[in-house]
Structure formats: C-alpha cells, structure tokens
Amino acid sequence: MFAHIGRATLALLGEVGRVTLFLKDALLQGLTPKIFVRQILEQMMRIGYFSLPVVGLTAFFTGGALALQIYLGSSRFNAESLVASIVALGITRELGPVLAGLMVAGRVGASIAAELGTMRVTEQIDALVTLATNPFKYLVAPRIIAAVVTLPILVGIADVIGIMGGYIVGTRSIGLNGYAYIRNTADFLQFNDVSSGLIKAAVFGFIIAVMGCYHGFNSKGGAQGVGRATTNAVVSSAILILAANFALTSLLFAD
Amino acid sequence: MAEGYIELYNVKKSFGPKHVLNGVTLSVPRGHSLVVIGGSGTGKSVMLKCILGLLHPDSGSIRIAGEEVVGLKGKARDDYLARFGMLFQGAALFDSLSVWENVAFGLIQGRHMARAKARDIAIDKLGQVGLGPEVGNLFPAELSGGMQKRVGLARAIAADPEIIFFDEPTTGLDPIMADVINNLIVDCVKRLGATTVSITHDMASARKIADDIAMIFKGEIIWQGAAKTIDHGGNPYVDQFIHGSAEGPIQMDVLKP
C-alpha cells in the first residue's frame, strides 16, 4: 500500500522534473535565434485558424444553454434582467477560455503529439539533428509560440460568439428585448472580465503546446507508443488546464 | 594501422542495467569505407548514434580528425554536425515537405542558402541517385521504399559531407534494388571522397561497399580487417555470421520447442 503510494509519487515527481527540463530546453532554444518564422505562421494557421469552427460551435451552444439555464433559475425570483450580464460574465471569465482550451487540447494537443511522436519513431527528429537543425527551435518553439498567440484570439472570438448564442436564445426563445439584452451586456462587462479570460487563454495555449510537444517528443515504440503519447498529451493538458484555471481565477480575482 | 580519421576509444554506453556498448574501439582512415556487421541488438545503431552525438556515451573518447567530439555543445556541435551526412534505415524523410525540400533541407536551414539555388542543387543530387527532376515535387508518401531510400541518399550527400553514415542501407529492399543502392553508395562516396561508416547485417551489401569490415558482438568489436580478408579471417564468430548459420559460438536466446 505505502510502496504503491511511494512509487506513484516518485513517478509523478520524475515526470514533473522531465517536463521542467524539456521546458528549459524549449524556452532557451525558442527565444534565441534562429527563429523559424515560416514554421510559426504555419502553426498559427493549424492551431488557430483551423480550430475556429470547433471553438465557435462550442461557444455558440454553450452561450445558448447558459442563457436558458440562467433564465430558468432567475425567473424564480423575478430577476430575468440579469440573464444578459451573467451570460457575458460566465462566457468571458470562465466558459470561453476553459471550453476553448479543452476543445483545442483535444484537437491540437492530440495532433501535435501524434505528429511529433511519429517523427520521433520514424527517426525524422534524429534526421533533423543530423541536418544541423535544432528540433527544439524548428518543431517545439513554433508550436508553443503559435499556441500562446492564437489561443487568446480564438477565445476573443469565442466570447463574441458565445454572447451571440445567449442573445439569440434570449431574444428568440425566452422573449427578452434585444436592445435591452445588448445594453445590459455592454454596460455590465468590464475590461477586466475580458482580459482575465484572454490571459487564461494564453496560459492554456502554452499548456497545450508544451504537453503535446513533450509527449510526442518522448514517445517510443512504434504505433502503440504514438497512441499512448497522444492520449497522455490530451489528458494531461486537459487536467492542467482545469487546475490552472482554478489557480488563475483565484489569482486574477483575488481582491 | 594508419592514424584514423574517425577514432573511437573504449566507448561505453548503458541503458539502465543493460550494457549496450562495452568499450568499442574502432579506427577508420580518411577516405575509407568501413562496414560494421553484427546481428540485431548488438549495439550497431547505438554506436552510430554516439558518434553523431544523438546519444551521449557514458565514457570513452570519440575523435574526428584528431578532435574530441564527445560533449560538444551549441555552435561547435552544429559545425560538427554540418560535416556529416546520414542515411537512416527508414529513410526518415520529412513527410510534410516535398522531395526536393527534403534534399535541400540541410542547405536551406543549416547553411542558409537561397531556396532557388538550393533547389537546383537538390535536383542535381536527385539526378545523381537516378531520379528525374519531376520526382522533386512529389511527397515522400507517394514514393516506393526504394525511391525513398534514394531520396534519403540524395539528402545525405546534398551538403557534400566529409563523413557519411549509412544505417542498414539495404534493409527492406528487394535484392535488385538493394544492389542499385549499393552501387549508388559506392559512386557517391567515390565522387565525394568521403569517409563512411555503414552498419548492416546484409553481407552482400557489406562486400560491395566496404574497404574494411568490423564485426560487433555484445557491444565490442571482435574482429576488424580488410573486406577481402573476411573469408579467411579465421574468427569463428565472423565465419558463423557470414555463412548465416544458426550453429556456432553465437547463440541466440531462442527457446527450443
């Protein structure tokens, strides 16, 4: 029993250490020349642009469902006018960044881990080294940079679409006044609500890219190893996103 | 033996409790082609990766042209790697790049050559391995195994390296394509005047491309000599290997039914 707990703890600490070393290399190499601009732009397309449909749909339906739930709850004590402001708050502060983060973790984290994992087991990463190209600079850094830059943009768009989802449900099926809905949203939202969500998004992007790269980079043993790397990348980034979200919420709204 | 261009002295490498290299000592004169033969799991690939710096030996010394290369870092390591070409066992082509971009990769990324010029060189190198310019625009997934190997060879020689490594160059190819690859290797190496180290368990390939042959067994070099002398080396391990016999001093860990 104790041996089991001890072994699990050691394994966890070992993993934390390895991720830290990986991060050190990634940041050290990523922030010094040479910077692969072409790779960064390509990854921005793949991580950011192609995630738009998934993230947009998620935000739209979440905003709609949120409006419905808040209406059902608030109508019990005649507070229907709060629907717009609570939807806006919920989307920008929590649900926008967290759901976008989780969706991107599933979409992008998995694909990064699978791609780098396959490159590892087919010796393409070794081949990079023999062609005098540092794989941290060429593969890892562009993905991290692209994810950190594009996730806030994605979440900004998700905020707008989520609020729009709430608006459509609010005006069409609940029967709230459209003009009042928008006024309530605009008057109530503060800069801090949106910016905190965007900060979270950047952190989540970092987590997704680092976990995807780390697990892909260290995968071994053929197809099964790549599959395991993909699973680990998605699971670990999802859990880290939720944990980081809690930590960031307590930090950003500490007053 | 003359002063070696590539010198390994007592190189050791273990993975956990498993000792893969137990003190490899090896010397390759400049311009020579050494083929290291040995069965699966005897440490051939690990030895190659140690020379390349992809793996770090636990102890021992590796010298290239008299210069110690174990533990090189940063710019010195990049300069060191720029002198190498390597043909990987599975070709290891970058599947997100077209064939010519693969061949030109080291020139564009490593040497900062303009893309147009690198492309011309890549097309020329593809010609040297018997592939037409139209192949340059294909992607690696569209090529057969033999063509991939040839593209890998073109990539390995693209930057005119002083030293080329071949990791099982003929594995997984039919005998005719294997011989085509062997001929290409001999031609390319001769043209460049490069020093080469190959690892293989294909004796036909070894006889064709080797000046010298060394045999590795259980992480040690147990025999080294000129390729011509291998049939009369008088080493029972080598004899068993080149005749491909299950009977002899090398015992496989196979359970008898």
Side-chain angles (χ1 to χ4, degrees):
Chain A
M1 173 68 183
F2 284 116
H4 195 75
I5 296 173
R7 215 172 296 132
T9 312
L10 281 180
L12 178 70
L13 291 177
E15 189 75 1
V16 171
R18 280 189 292 276
V19 172
T20 311
L21 286 176
F22 181 82
L23 255 182
K24 189 202 84 184
D25 277 344
L27 295 180
L28 217 64
Q29 299 295 338
L31 299 176
T32 51
K34 142 182 202 194
I35 310 276
F36 287 89
V37 178
R38 185 191 275 257
Q39 264 60 40
I40 296 176
L41 294 176
E42 195 186 313
Q43 291 305 323
M44 281 183 166
M45 282 300 278
R46 287 172 55 178
I47 296 174
Y49 185 71
F50 292 120
S51 295
L52 265 177
V54 185
V55 170
L57 282 172
T58 311
F60 181 81
F61 290 121
T62 309
L66 199 60
L68 214 52
Q69 287 284 16
I70 293 166
Y71 171 75
L72 294 174
S74 58
S75 64
R76 289 178 195 166
F77 29 90
N78 297 323
E80 291 93 336
S81 59
L82 286 178
V83 170
S85 38
I86 298 181
V87 166
L89 213 63
I91 291 283
T92 54
R93 280 189 175 196
E94 289 293 327
L95 292 173
V98 171
L99 289 179
L102 291 177
M103 294 310 282
V104 174
R107 213 191 81 86
V108 174
S111 94
I112 291 177
E115 188 182 6
L116 295 199
T118 306
M119 289 187 76
R120 166 62 77 199
V121 300
T122 56
E123 296 186 305
Q124 291 180 47
I125 293 182
D126 288 342
L128 267 184
V129 176
T130 66
L131 295 167
T133 303
N134 187 313
F136 279 98
K137 284 196 205 309
Y138 184 76
L139 295 174
V140 177
R143 283 167 173 76
I144 295 180
I145 294 171
V148 170
V149 172
T150 53
L151 256 244
I153 300 174
L154 268 178
V155 167
I157 296 169
D159 285 351
V160 175
I161 296 178
I163 289 172
M164 191 182 78
Y167 171 82
I168 290 176
V169 170
T171 52
R172 295 290 154 85
S173 78
I174 302 175
L176 297 172
N177 177 287
Y179 174 72
Y181 192 101
I182 292 184
R183 259 234 358 234
N184 278 342
T185 303
D187 286 352
F188 192 77
L189 260 191
Q190 288 176 355
F191 177 73
N192 187 22
D193 299 326
V194 178
S195 69
S196 68
L198 301 186
I199 292 170
K200 283 179 175 180
V203 174
F204 298 165
F206 184 78
I207 290 172
I208 293 166
V210 168
M211 283 295 116
C213 290
Y214 170 77
H215 288 287
F217 221 72
N218 291 300
S219 70
K220 42 179 152 288
Q224 206 186 8
V226 175
R228 201 178 310 124
T230 310
T231 311
N232 287 343
V234 175
V235 171
S236 61
S237 48
I239 289 173
L240 284 175
I241 283 174
L242 294 172
N245 180 55
F246 175 70
L248 283 169
T249 299
S250 4
L251 209 73
L252 291 165
F253 302 104
D255 48 8
Chain B
M1 189 177 286
E3 171 75 355
Y5 188 58
I6 304 172
E7 297 247 28
L8 277 70
Y9 181 71
N10 205 15
V11 173
K12 293 187 180 171
K13 176 77 186 168
S14 306
F15 295 99
K18 199 164 167 255
H19 303 294
V20 180
L21 298 181
N22 291 316
V24 169
T25 300
L26 203 60
S27 171
V28 192
R30 186 173 203 129
H32 269 232
S33 168
L34 173 78
V35 173
V36 179
I37 57 173
S40 315
T42 48
K44 299 189 304 269
S45 295
V46 172
M47 183 192 78
L48 215 53
K49 287 187 173 170
C50 282
I51 305 177
L52 275 168
L54 293 172
L55 289 173
H56 226 76
D58 298 332
S59 65
S61 142
I62 299 172
R63 288 167 174 274
I64 307 285
E67 205 181 317
E68 179 66 46
V69 297
V70 172
L72 280 184
K73 282 206 175 73
K75 176 101 173 61
R77 181 158 184 261
D78 289 346
D79 291 344
Y80 167 66
L81 285 169
R83 297 156 69 181
F84 286 127
M86 165 114 187
L87 174 59
F88 286 85
Q89 189 175 349
L93 301 176
F94 305 126
D95 34 36
S96 59
L97 300 177
S98 67
V99 164
W100 81 262
E101 286 174 310
N102 263 285
V103 177
F105 192 92
L107 301 172
I108 295 173
Q109 308 296 358
R111 306 206 171 175
H112 314 295
M113 192 183 279
R115 284 175 72 83
K117 192 172 170 219
R119 190 192 165 114
D120 291 342
I121 295 178
I123 299 294
D124 177 54
K125 296 289 176 185
L126 283 173
Q128 290 182 24
V129 297
L131 295 172
E134 71 283 355
V135 177
N137 291 323
L138 298 175
F139 280 84
E142 299 171 279
L143 305 179
S144 68
M147 283 168 95
Q148 289 188 2
K149 271 275 163 73
R150 285 196 268 171
V151 174
L153 179 60
R155 185 174 71 179
I157 61 172
D160 297 331
E162 299 163 40
I163 301 165
I164 312 176
F165 295 109
F166 300 101
D167 184 358
E168 314 250 349
T170 56
T171 300
L173 300 177
D174 68 76
I176 298 168
M177 182 51 78
D179 203 50
V180 169
I181 297 284
N182 287 335
N183 285 334
L184 287 172
I185 289 175
V186 172
D187 286 352
C188 293
V189 170
K190 213 175 278 164
R191 197 176 303 134
L192 287 172
T195 310
T196 68
V197 177
S198 318
I199 55 181
T200 186
H201 44 65
D202 173 2
M203 279 313 297
S205 171
R207 286 173 201 279
K208 190 125 191 182
I209 62 183
D211 295 320
D212 302 310
I213 295 182
M215 172 145 176
I216 189 168
F217 181 65
K218 291 199 169 162
E220 280 177 72
I221 301 291
I222 55 166
W223 186 85
Q224 183 175 4
K228 285 179 255 114
T229 65
I230 191 161
D231 292 309
H232 320 288
N235 183 308
Y237 291 88
V238 176
D239 284 346
Q240 185 192 351
F241 191 85
I242 61 179
H243 295 119
S245 163
E247 308 298 323
I250 307 174
Q251 288 298 318
M252 294 288 166
D253 299 327
V254 181
L255 290 176
K256 293 264 157 43

